[in-house]
Amino acid sequence: MNQNNILKTFETLKTVLQHFNNKTQEELLIRIGNQNQWFTEKSILKAVKGLISLLDAKDLENAVSKYYDGKEKLIGVIAAGNIPAGGFADVLYILLT
């Protein structure tokens, strides 16, 4: 997958997150809460809001232009399991670079 496809995919994700309706949001909160009871409604909604701001198209394009060198890399990630979407930014920037 090339960078343009990745950028478009994350732009679509941002749009989806911005347009959650109440039913979808409630279903998401229940599913996440059932899988990890440490995740509160407040922490989940804060994480979603953070993801929306992280997925700014211009910021992502700047990151690609600044850090992408076209070389293949082998990268490992150890992500926190106690923070909603804790490893998301790591995976996002790995995919972009």
Side-chain angles (χ1 to χ4, degrees):
M1 188 180 275
N2 67 35
Q3 270 62 36
N4 287 332
N5 289 341
I6 293 170
L7 288 169
K8 287 179 185 177
T9 299
F10 284 116
E11 286 177 33
T12 301
L13 175 60
K14 179 179 181 173
T15 301
V16 169
L17 293 173
Q18 287 174 319
H19 294 95
F20 272 163
N21 59 37
N22 288 339
K23 182 180 179 196
T24 305
Q25 181 176 314
E26 187 63 31
E27 290 172 359
L28 177 70
L29 293 171
I30 290 169
R31 282 178 71 191
I32 293 172
N34 286 340
Q35 291 190 11
N36 189 330
Q37 295 176 357
W38 287 101
F39 293 176
T40 64
E41 179 177 334
K42 182 179 176 180
S43 67
I44 296 166
L45 293 175
K46 185 176 181 178
V48 170
K49 187 175 180 179
L51 292 177
I52 291 169
S53 67
L54 178 68
L55 295 171
D56 180 75
K58 288 183 182 180
D59 289 343
L60 296 177
E61 289 170 8
N62 288 339
V64 168
S65 67
K66 188 174 182 179
Y67 297 110
Y68 181 70
D69 63 8
K71 297 177 184 174
E72 189 173 312
K73 299 169 184 73
L74 179 62
I75 301 169
V77 175
I78 300 173
N82 62 336
I83 303 168
F88 184 86
D90 298 325
V91 173
L92 169 65
Y93 284 100
I94 288 168
L95 289 172
L96 291 176
T97 61

